[in-house]
Amino acid sequence: MAISNINQLLIRNIDGISAATPLFVNIVNDGFIAEYLTHHTTAKITCYHTNFADYKLSQMSENNQVTSHFCVEYKAQVKHDLVIINFPKSKAEFGFTLAMLAESMTEDATVIIVGENKGGIKSADKLSKNYLNFCNKVDAARHCLLYVGQFQSDLPKFELDEFYKYYSVTVGDNQLKIAALPGVFSQNGLDVGTDVLLENLPQSIKGKVLDFGCGAGVIAACIGKLFPGTKLTLVDVSALALQSAKTTLALNGLNGESLASDSLSDVKERYDFVISNPPFHQGVKTHYAATEQFLTKIKQHLSTHGCITIVANSFLKYPPIMEKAIGTTKTLAIKKGFAVYQCFT
């Protein structure tokens, strides 16, 4: 794997970021961890990931000096004297991350923030004012920036519940309450694509249902209310999304299984219905491969006469992929720039 521009900038400054117990936040294991240990041989590294795919990659280091975690809320077992944060695509998630990590750091811990110019990193100074004493730009290379800061003392205790945003969705005679943490798709309200999909759900849904790329759990919650008795499974690559989806189900008196998976990597069962607004953005770049892989592989997770219904931007050429991989595909609706496609095994 080629070393990312972000990690190349970190390597360029590696001699100056020595630490005994560093914490790497959403730093991709593309060779940087090994390089860090080459320069700082006694370091005990902790990797915290909110992305399941990156977490699985970090587990491959096979080094007893590296510990990896995938979770929504990180709590340190040992205080960290350095944290390196990959600036998230969501600015709200950046504040969430700083608020959460403060109590896991030593008093004089160094905070390093790194990210791509086009990913919003230039706003790090402004966005960190409530959490850091200072946030100074110290280097720029490979279209990336690196900032150094230090946490303020006596920051409030982190409370996960304070970072949820809530909104309502009406489906049929039901009004559902949706909970979403920072960084989760459509945190501030129902997106147009999902709205179009909910208008075109199968008339009858029963048995085992998979909500792929569940986000805050809107689709699964609506199905659970409209079709009681369905067995819901919610899949996402994001720890923040999965926690939001669990909260959404609980708020609406519903039950379901939440499953972390890199696309379909950890999905083992077969489902009677797959309903999805599949993601096509990854990081700051438009990225279609994950959805195309999902459509190519989903048939092996559909039961006999199983049904898949998805919504996507109407310009995306998904029907030919579905036709080839699954079967005859119908276009149920085209509305507001989105299309709903459906096919049966």
Side-chain angles (χ1 to χ4, degrees):
M1 175 184 291
I3 296 178
S4 68
N5 287 342
I6 286 173
N7 285 351
Q8 287 182 50
L9 179 56
L10 288 172
I11 290 171
R12 169 181 162 122
N13 291 273
I14 205 161
D15 289 330
I17 52 177
S18 173
T21 56
L23 173 64
F24 297 167
V25 179
N26 291 323
I27 298 295
V28 177
N29 182 21
D30 56 9
F32 170 69
I33 291 175
E35 188 72 20
Y36 188 89
L37 288 172
T38 297
H39 286 75
H40 309 296
T41 56
T42 61
K44 298 291 185 181
I45 297 172
T46 302
C47 297
Y48 160 58
H49 291 283
T50 57
N51 181 289
F52 187 70
D54 292 341
Y55 163 69
K56 297 291 281 187
L57 194 61
S58 73
Q59 286 188 309
M60 295 171 62
S61 63
E62 296 181 351
N63 190 312
N64 58 14
Q65 290 177 251
V66 181
T67 304
S68 299
H69 301 273
F70 172 77
C71 53
V72 66
E73 183 177 357
Y74 177 76
K75 295 181 179 180
Q77 301 299 312
V78 177
K79 295 282 187 177
H80 300 287
D81 51 355
L82 167 72
V83 59
I84 301 176
I85 301 171
N86 184 351
F87 190 83
K89 64 179 179 179
S90 162
K91 292 180 179 179
E93 187 180 341
F94 180 54
F96 168 89
T97 302
L98 291 175
M100 175 181 57
L101 295 178
E103 56 199 65
S104 294
M105 312 306 296
T106 61
E107 266 187 47
D108 58 348
T110 299
V111 179
I112 292 177
I113 305 153
V114 62
E116 296 183 353
N117 291 337
K118 59 187 176 182
I121 183 68
K122 293 178 182 179
S123 61
D125 183 15
K126 179 181 177 181
L127 294 173
S128 63
K129 288 189 180 299
N130 291 332
Y131 307 100
L132 304 181
N133 289 320
F134 61 88
C135 183
N136 299 330
K137 184 173 71 174
V138 297
D139 200 9
R142 300 286 185 179
H143 309 290
C144 299
L145 296 175
L146 187 149
Y147 288 80
V148 172
Q150 188 176 62
F151 277 108
Q152 298 172 10
S153 58
D154 301 322
L155 286 171
K157 181 176 175 58
F158 176 77
E159 298 291 345
L160 182 68
D161 288 347
E162 294 179 1
F163 287 86
Y164 280 105
K165 286 192 175 180
Y166 300 94
Y167 59 91
S168 296
V169 171
T170 301
V171 54
D173 297 327
N174 301 287
Q175 187 170 57
L176 305 179
K177 188 173 184 179
I178 309 302
L181 288 167
V184 176
F185 179 64
S186 291
Q187 188 198 12
N188 297 311
L190 183 66
D191 62 284
V192 176
T194 299
D195 190 27
V196 173
L197 175 63
L198 294 176
E199 293 175 354
N200 292 277
L201 291 174
Q203 292 185 352
S204 176
I205 299 177
K206 58 185 178 180
K208 295 163 63 176
V209 179
L210 175 67
D211 179 355
F212 176 82
C214 65
V218 176
I219 295 171
C222 288
I223 291 172
K225 280 295 185 183
L226 290 173
F227 304 100
T230 49
K231 183 180 179 182
L232 303 171
T233 299
L234 297 81
V235 168
D236 208 287
V237 74
S238 164
L240 297 171
L242 291 169
Q243 182 63 36
S244 299
K246 288 178 185 177
T247 303
T248 292
L249 291 183
L251 286 171
N252 295 287
L254 297 168
N255 295 309
E257 177 190 12
S258 298
L259 180 65
S261 183
D262 176 16
S263 188
L264 294 167
S265 65
D266 285 59
V267 176
K268 307 301 181 187
E269 297 188 35
R270 289 181 178 267
Y271 299 89
D272 301 298
F273 290 85
V274 174
I275 318 284
S276 179
N277 180 357
F280 68 94
H281 281 89
Q282 183 169 322
V284 297
K285 300 177 181 178
T286 303
H287 190 81
Y288 308 105
T291 296
E292 292 178 359
Q293 182 187 43
F294 156 68
L295 294 174
T296 301
K297 303 290 186 182
I298 191 60
K299 186 173 183 178
Q300 61 188 299
H301 297 290
L302 283 165
S303 60
T304 305
H305 308 302
C307 173
I308 177 171
T309 308
I310 71 164
V311 67
N313 290 78
S314 55
F315 66 83
L316 296 173
K317 306 302 181 185
Y318 289 157
I321 299 173
M322 296 173 70
E323 289 270 358
K324 182 178 179 180
I326 309 166
T328 302
T329 301
K330 296 180 180 179
T331 301
L332 300 184
I334 299 178
K335 185 178 180 181
K336 298 178 181 179
F338 289 87
V340 179
Y341 305 116
Q342 185 180 82
C343 59
F344 292 82
T345 55

